[in-house]
Amino acid sequence: MSISLIILAAGQGTRMNSDLPKVLHKVAGAPLLVHAMTAGAALAPERVVIVAGHGAEEVRTAALAHDETVQVVLQEEQLGTAHAVAQALPALEGAGGDAIVLYGDTPFIRPETLESMIAARQRHAVVVLGFTARDPGRYGRLVTSGETLERIVEFKDATDEERSITLCNSGVLCADSALLAELVAAVGNDNAAGEYYLTDIVGLARARGLSAGVVICDEAETMGVNTRAQLAEAEAAFQARARAEALENGVTLTAPETVFFALDTVVGRDASIGPNVIFGPGVTVESGAEIKAFCHLEGCHISRGASVGPFARLRPGAELAEDVHVGNFVEIKNSILDEGVKVGHLTYLGDAQVGKETNIGAGTITCNYDGVFKHRTEIGAHAFIGSDTMLVAPVKIGAGAMTASGSVITADVPDDALALGRSQQVVKAGFAKKFFDRLKAAKAAKGKN
Ligand code: UD1
Ligand code: CA
């Protein structure tokens, strides 16, 4: 059966105190909205519709950047969650199958939980995701009798007795999309908030003699983000889980609490990660690679047997083949390093291609930017780049070639050649001694005055 997703993301998020729409604030390097999209994507949905309102253009751009197949619809006025779903329904026309409603500000719903909701649809026309709240606060309450969910009552509209219920509404629900459309059309706004409550569809379904049920998840999954403090809590919760998962998957973390993962970080078994390593988006580390302390990695791939750091920075497009060694204070951007390349110390490689087994000496810099354009540096296999070489791109260094230390290389170097690009050394015998004797004498004369 086909599944479609509706992700509600029109709310203002006033309590974030921000110019950025709430759902674009990031946890683990990815917007909250992308977390919800990622959880939903595990169900291979036929259609994904995102309801945007506040900051709709920014939300649209971010959503499409992550997945260009989604549809983003506009909810001009935020008249309630049922009204939001109503804006999405035209985009689902003809899709058939079930629709799942998610919130863009609730990042941690697990795909397995969504799957159990779909399974529960065998028994119920409407399935709601509930949780037992430690502090039920202002959540909507789930009014049940036995296995049946009778209705959802919003906190504002609840009696004292209903407020004592601890089984709460996460907001996530699932129903046949055609039925959802009918029920949503019947929702009114005669309630304490004057809003069109999506939660009313449960009572409406029951009134039609349809069955509704609850799937219960852990409260941690339903954590929503409304404030910067909750954003920080969500980050901490994500990192705690990611660290535990990495350890479980056979990754060594010497100081797990100091390592920060991104939503899409992939680390292979028997990789080892030292203290204070930060993963930005788009990093894959193969089995057995070693990342030493204080590295910052983003958009890069580190192959089996490679070692990186301490204190290295790999930026987007850094591709390290097997057994590459990148040492301290090295920055690499948009560069491919073939097998066994060594870049030990204090180097910048940008827009470069480095052949197999080549050694890049300390202090080497690719001068890849002329102030307007970026240029490429190509270095062949088994080359030896002397320490403190400036490679002024575009430039090519042949296989087996060598550059002398301190050279400024502005022209291509053929295979197996030596390139010297520095001024001739001059040696003046005795000069230093004479020079300092003169200065010292001058200082002594001054002291006597
Ligand atoms: C909602 C539920 C409540 C549940 C709680 C869980 C309703 C009526 N209530 O309450 O039962 O316990 O979530 O967090 O559904 N949104 C729109 N357009 C709108 C209104 C909301 O897109 O017109 C989006 C918001 O951006 C947010 C989500 O829907 O992502 C939930 O809206 P919110 O106002 O936070 O609902 P709650 O009052 O918290
Ligand atoms: Ca909320």
Side-chain angles (χ1 to χ4, degrees):
M1 189 198 34
S2 86
I3 305 285
S4 293
L5 294 180
I6 300 172
I7 305 180
L8 305 189
Q12 182 163 20
T14 316
R15 289 193 289 152
M16 293 300 283
N17 190 11
S18 176
D19 289 337
L20 190 68
K22 175 164 78 171
V23 294
L24 298 189
H25 283 268
K26 287 179 179 176
V27 164
L32 293 169
L33 177 62
V34 169
H35 285 257
M37 291 170 76
T38 303
L43 305 173
E46 183 160 314
R47 297 189 198 176
V48 177
V49 186
I50 293 164
V51 182
H54 285 277
E57 271 321 301
E58 282 170 275
V59 170
R60 181 191 306 276
T61 304
L64 292 174
H66 178 67
D67 179 353
E68 60 184 20
T69 69
V70 303
Q71 301 181 69
V72 180
V73 300
L74 184 65
Q75 183 193 24
E76 249 166 276
E77 265 187 294
Q78 282 69 58
L79 302 180
T81 44
H83 180 259
V85 168
Q87 311 312 303
L89 290 169
L92 290 192
E93 217 145 288
D98 276 8
I100 293 185
V101 178
L102 296 174
Y103 292 172
D105 61 359
T106 304
F108 298 144
I109 306 285
R110 292 181 313 132
E112 294 83 350
T113 300
L114 298 178
E115 268 152 21
S116 40
M117 291 180 70
I118 291 165
R121 276 271 298 112
Q122 304 283 337
R123 286 168 279 129
H124 303 289
V126 178
V127 175
V128 169
L129 183 63
F131 63 102
T132 303
R134 258 165 311 166
D135 170 16
R138 303 183 64 82
Y139 286 115
R141 305 298 207 266
L142 302 186
V143 182
T144 52
S145 60
E147 290 287 281
T148 300
L149 175 61
E150 295 294 349
R151 60 199 173 85
I152 305 178
V153 57
E154 287 305 296
F155 178 81
K156 280 186 186 169
D157 303 288
T159 62
D160 284 344
E161 195 186 336
E162 287 165 340
R163 286 180 181 183
S164 72
I165 297 171
T166 55
L167 184 61
C168 291
N169 176 29
S170 70
V172 179
L173 60 79
C174 178
D176 172 79
S177 54
L179 175 67
L180 181 65
E182 283 177 35
L183 295 174
V184 160
V187 170
N189 67 349
D190 181 15
N191 53 51
E195 283 182 13
Y196 295 88
Y197 291 159
L198 180 60
T199 45
D200 282 356
I201 70 164
V202 173
L204 290 166
R206 293 293 296 135
R208 290 181 173 204
L210 297 170
S211 149
V214 185
V215 164
I216 295 180
C217 72
D218 196 274
E219 185 169 5
E221 279 187 60
T222 70
M223 175 177 193
V225 173
N226 299 299
T227 62
R228 304 270 183 167
Q230 286 171 348
L231 187 69
E233 275 174 49
E235 183 72 46
F238 177 93
Q239 296 303 340
R241 265 197 306 274
R243 290 163 191 153
E245 270 170 32
L247 293 169
E248 192 128 323
N249 293 341
V251 177
T252 295
L253 303 177
T254 25
E257 65 288 355
T258 66
V259 174
F260 288 81
F261 293 99
L263 176 60
D264 60 358
T265 305
V266 178
V267 183
R269 190 161 163 267
D270 283 326
S272 150
I273 298 169
N276 297 293
V277 172
I278 312 283
F279 291 90
V283 179
T284 49
V285 178
E286 287 184 14
S287 287
E290 184 179 9
I291 317 292
K292 294 176 185 161
F294 293 99
C295 289
H296 193 283
L297 314 173
E298 184 181 356
C300 61
H301 178 80
I302 299 165
S303 301
R304 199 176 279 269
S307 75
V308 176
F311 298 99
R313 178 164 185 219
L314 301 186
R315 292 172 49 207
E319 297 250 352
L320 277 48
E322 289 182 20
D323 303 319
V324 164
H325 169 66
V326 170
N328 44 225
F329 307 107
V330 171
E331 174 180 344
I332 300 178
K333 182 216 77 171
N334 188 32
S335 294
I336 297 173
L337 277 54
D338 289 347
E339 248 176 82
V341 166
K342 290 188 172 56
V343 194
H345 338 261
L346 299 156
T347 288
Y348 172 60
L349 295 180
D351 306 308
Q353 166 94 43
V354 183
K356 203 163 130 164
E357 306 289 341
T358 281
N359 188 85
I360 308 285
T364 296
I365 305 280
T366 52
C367 311
N368 60 327
Y369 185 48
D370 59 16
V372 180
F373 296 106
K374 299 281 173 67
H375 301 283
R376 292 193 59 79
T377 299
E378 283 175 37
I379 304 174
H382 301 282
F384 185 92
I385 305 300
S387 293
D388 197 31
T389 298
M390 300 293 118
L391 297 160
V392 182
V395 70
K396 286 183 190 166
I397 311 293
M402 185 178 187
T403 67
S405 298
S407 289
V408 178
I409 303 293
T410 54
D412 291 354
V413 180
D415 289 359
D416 301 319
L418 164 68
L420 276 142
R422 64 186 189 206
S423 50
Q424 195 88 45
Q425 183 169 318
V426 176
V427 176
K428 297 188 177 181
F431 180 93
K433 186 171 182 334
K434 261 189 270 172
F435 177 73
F436 285 115
D437 284 352
R438 183 154 49 80
L439 292 187
K440 283 176 196 157
K443 190 179 184 189
K446 234 183 178 179
K448 277 180 195 146
N449 289 341

